[in-house]
Amino acid sequence: MTPDEKRSEKRVLVVEDDEDVRKMIALALSDEGFEVLTAHDGHHALRIVASGRPDVIVLDFGLPHLDGPTFAEQWRTRVPPDQQVPIVGMSGLPNGPELARQSRVNEFLPKPIDLDALVEAVVRHA
């Protein structure tokens, strides 16, 4: 099985409130062969993960209604430790790295997002 075939079996959930950024990330990951699901806020993301577990979550921290760190905490309390999936956090906030540590994400990327770095992070964790 080629790396692209393996990626096509992997689902990535992109949680981002900015529609243009969400579409850009989804397109970049789709171009790499991943199946991509998207959500515009944390509540929407929780509904998506309840219906089927993604292999990786790409999570913006600055979401409306249910922010990224709160989503990560709620997600972790709903899923047994052996079923946790990697989370790649993103933020343009000055305290983004600290939020990443507190949220226990697997990897953190600053915004504006470098798409190549994001794809590499997802590939590492998928």
Side-chain angles (χ1 to χ4, degrees), residues 25 28-29 32 34 56 58 88-90 107-125:
I25 292 170
L29 292 171
E32 289 296 318
F34 292 103
V56 179
V58 174
V88 177
M90 327 177 277
E107 192 160 342
F108 172 75
L109 298 171
K111 284 177 137 184
I113 203 69
D114 175 327
L115 282 179
D116 291 333
L118 178 65
V119 168
E120 289 172 13
V122 170
V123 167
R124 270 193 300 279
H125 295 288

Side-chain angles (χ1 to χ4, degrees), residues 4 13 16 18 24 26 28 30 38-40 42 44 49 69 71 73 81 83-84 88-90 101 106 115 120 122 125:
D4 285 342
L13 172 59
E16 167 63 61
D18 184 301
M24 179 182 65
S30 292
T38 62
H40 59 275
H44 186 208
V49 297
F71 165 84
E73 179 182 330
Q83 295 179 17
Q84 295 290 321
V88 177
M90 327 177 277
R101 280 188 290 283
N106 299 80
L115 282 179
E120 289 172 13
V122 170
H125 295 288

Side-chain angles (χ1 to χ4, degrees), residues 54-77:
D55 297 292
V56 179
I57 299 172
V58 174
L59 179 65
D60 179 30
F61 289 165
L63 298 170
H65 312 297
L66 179 67
D67 66 18
T70 305
F71 165 84
E73 179 182 330
Q74 288 188 14
W75 164 245
R76 285 194 171 87
T77 62

Side-chain angles (χ1 to χ4, degrees), residues 7 25 29 50 56 93 95 102:
R7 288 182 192 157
I25 292 170
L29 292 171
V56 179
L93 300 170
N95 65 338
Q102 292 171 0

